Amino acid sequence: MAQSRTVAVVVGSLRKESFSRKLAKAIAAVAPPHLTFDFVDIGQLQHFNQDLEATPTAEWTAFRESIKAADAVLFVTPEYNRGLPGVLKNAIDVGSRPYGASVWNGKPAAVVSNSPGAIGGFGAYHQLRQSLVFLNVPTVNQPETYVGGVAELFDANGELINESTAEFLTGFGQTFADAIERHLS
Ligand code: FNR
């Protein structure tokens, strides 16, 4: 029996009906059961301001603690203007400081991008991974996870209704779980 692991889920969209959040929930639903997914809110984080480093806000501290407490991180993000949403970049920056105390350092992660369009958020995926390389976050390489046509994948209740996507996400969840074990053991 695999040891329980917690995964912090960071969603790059704040809107209520976000496809990214639905996709993150769908991944959590098909992932191996020893993984527990904890959705971490990033909408309340103040814009990063280096002047506040010495006196961090309660929201920054709570966010940093949530990431620190997790065994791994799953990022699920849309693409904004061929890049990652500002709210997600802000969360990355908040977690990266103070210098030398980044909560991301060495934390196993996976990135999933998505879009109603065909390219599946490829630009956001790689822009995010650019920062994760710098932050020393070991990230799942394969399968690459650019989910296109995302608006067609869910019913009115937000349930995943596409069988091949469910199969793909199941394989992805297993790969992520294996990667987490490799990095933690
Ligand atoms: C978008 N959208 C978008 N889609 C895409 O595939 N590539 C892009 O560069 C952009 N750019 C973009 C910019 C801004 C400001 C918005 C609001 C939207 C469309 C986007 O994929 C769509 O709105 C998604 O539904 C947003 O993700 P959530 O909120 O459903 O998770």
Side-chain angles (χ1 to χ4, degrees), residues 79 82-84 113 119-128 146:
E79 176 177 82
R82 292 287 182 260
L84 78 159
S113 64
I119 305 174
F122 177 92
Y125 179 99
H126 285 287
Q127 199 179 41
L128 175 54
Y146 324 116

Side-chain angles (χ1 to χ4, degrees), residues 94-115:
V94 168
S96 72
R97 291 290 169 136
Y99 185 76
S102 167
V103 298
W104 307 116
N105 188 33
K107 191 80 66 180
V111 175
V112 176
S113 64
N114 72 99
S115 170

Side-chain angles (χ1 to χ4, degrees), residues 14-117:
L14 304 183
R15 74 183 188 98
K16 263 200 255 66
E17 292 299 321
S18 162
F19 293 121
S20 305
R21 185 168 294 100
K22 289 174 185 169
L23 192 54
K25 286 183 178 161
I27 293 167
V30 298
H34 71 281
L35 299 183
T36 301
F37 291 81
D38 170 26
F39 283 67
V40 179
D41 196 10
I42 60 172
Q44 82 294 1
L45 294 175
Q46 296 80 3
H47 287 163
F48 182 75
N49 176 345
Q50 218 176 337
D51 290 341
L52 300 181
E53 270 190 350
T55 54
T57 67
E59 289 83 358
W60 285 10
T61 301
F63 175 71
R64 287 166 175 164
E65 291 304 320
S66 303
I67 301 299
K68 259 194 244 173
D71 293 309
V73 184
L74 172 66
F75 296 96
V76 184
T77 187
E79 176 177 82
Y80 281 1
N81 301 308
R82 292 287 182 260
L84 78 159
V87 70
L88 178 53
K89 182 59 164 61
N90 187 55
I92 295 287
D93 295 339
V94 168
S96 72
R97 291 290 169 136
Y99 185 76
S102 167
V103 298
W104 307 116
N105 188 33
K107 191 80 66 180
V111 175
V112 176
S113 64
N114 72 99
S115 170

